[in-house]
Amino acid sequence: MTVNNDSTDDPMDGWFPESVAARYDDPGGENDSAAIDPAMELLAQLADGPVLEFAVGTGRIAAPLALRGLRVSGIELSGAMASRIAAKPGGESVEVHIGDMTSTRVDGEFALVCLVFNTIGNVTTQDGQVAVFENAASHLRPGGRFLVEVGVPDVRRLPPGQDTVPFAVNDAGDGGGYVGFDRYDVATQQFTSTHVTVSCDGSGSFRRIPFRYVWPAELDLMARIAGMRLESRWAGWDRSDFTSDSVKHVSVWQKPTG
């Protein structure tokens, strides 16, 4: 197997350089309309004013929201990802700011700040994750909401002595396939997500991304530090009940009105 490394990537784009951005909107998974439409419905219901998306990426959420007539801004660290937004329907009206969601400021007050698709975990320190909540709160108008979508840490599947959990094994049916697995350090709440893709001709790619996993109760404490309180928590965009068996959650914290 040969592994292709893209030497043209800009190191300032971190874990989402041009080589990743070019494939990010390929069909499948979280980029399909079937996955995005339920998110659109809930976000549009919560947004009774301007929206700010942290880690706006290629605009898969921001552009459809703007197409609904909402004023949408975004913060994105990767210029390669952000460069794709304008080409999407509605994307031309999204105001994009290149920067770090822990500290970058956007003018104005917002009714909703959102951070989706596990991206809070891309911030790999607890202090950094607290800074994300504080930055969200500083952008919200009184009564505004901060929404986060993130998976529940999968450490219940770890028996003693094991630190790795596979989350995807896909056979392409033509001699190729994809394997994804997470490796956890439960002492530090650090984990790495590894993605291995092999094509039918034997070529392939290998990508490893660091994360910090975070529990729902820990996120609630971060919100309290930032001056917000939990308003709602669901198991998904359909507002289904969050239980001990839920694999992810969509949580909403509100900034006080007074």
Side-chain angles (χ1 to χ4, degrees):
M1 183 181 78
T2 60
V3 178
N4 297 319
N5 292 317
D6 190 340
S7 62
T8 64
D9 287 336
D10 184 345
M12 294 301 291
D13 285 337
W15 298 105
F16 296 90
E18 178 61 32
S19 57
V20 174
R23 302 190 305 270
Y24 194 80
D25 289 326
D26 288 349
E30 295 290 329
N31 291 321
D32 279 348
S33 60
I36 294 174
D37 289 348
M40 289 299 100
E41 293 303 319
L42 179 54
L43 291 169
Q45 290 172 22
L46 293 174
D48 57 351
V51 178
L52 174 62
E53 184 179 0
F54 283 179
V56 67
T58 63
R60 69 183 185 92
I61 295 295
L65 280 178
L67 200 59
R68 290 175 175 237
L70 292 166
R71 183 166 72 83
V72 182
S73 301
I75 296 173
E76 174 55 46
L77 190 60
S78 168
M81 295 284 278
S83 67
R84 267 92 182 153
I85 297 175
K88 290 182 168 66
E92 68 281 354
S93 62
V94 177
E95 180 184 312
V96 182
H97 299 260
I98 301 299
D100 191 322
M101 62 183 172
T102 65
S103 58
T104 298
R105 283 288 307 165
V106 177
D107 290 341
E109 290 187 324
F110 295 85
L112 176 68
V113 177
C114 58
L115 176 60
V116 303
F117 197 30
N118 301 316
T119 315
I120 184 68
N122 288 106
V123 181
T124 57
T125 67
Q126 187 182 65
D127 285 347
Q129 291 174 341
V130 170
V132 170
F133 274 77
E134 292 175 327
N135 199 28
S138 72
H139 282 92
L140 290 172
R141 69 190 187 189
R145 296 176 171 94
F146 181 38
L147 178 147
V148 171
E149 176 201 20
V150 65
V152 176
D154 208 12
V155 295
R156 289 194 302 175
R157 294 176 59 189
L158 291 174
Q162 180 177 320
D163 63 4
T164 301
V165 176
F167 60 82
V169 180
N170 300 327
D171 184 356
D174 58 359
Y178 164 79
V179 175
F181 57 91
D182 292 330
R183 186 174 185 182
Y184 291 90
D185 183 338
V186 296
T188 63
Q189 290 182 218
Q190 302 292 313
F191 76 100
T192 56
S193 186
T194 300
H195 307 262
V196 181
T197 302
V198 180
S199 65
C200 59
D201 64 5
S203 63
S205 64
F206 176 91
R207 185 167 179 249
R208 178 174 288 161
I209 312 172
F211 293 93
R212 180 183 188 271
Y213 69 79
V214 60
W215 298 100
E218 188 180 5
L219 291 172
D220 291 342
L221 183 57
M222 292 179 184
R224 291 183 64 183
I225 291 171
M228 298 181 287
R229 292 292 186 272
L230 181 68
E231 180 184 61
S232 302
R233 173 166 290 132
W234 304 290
W237 294 106
D238 59 357
R239 301 195 193 211
S240 55
D241 291 340
F242 179 76
T243 72
S244 59
D245 292 322
S246 299
V247 297
K248 76 170 187 177
H249 61 101
V250 175
S251 296
V252 181
W253 300 269
Q254 188 169 35
K255 185 174 182 176
T257 56

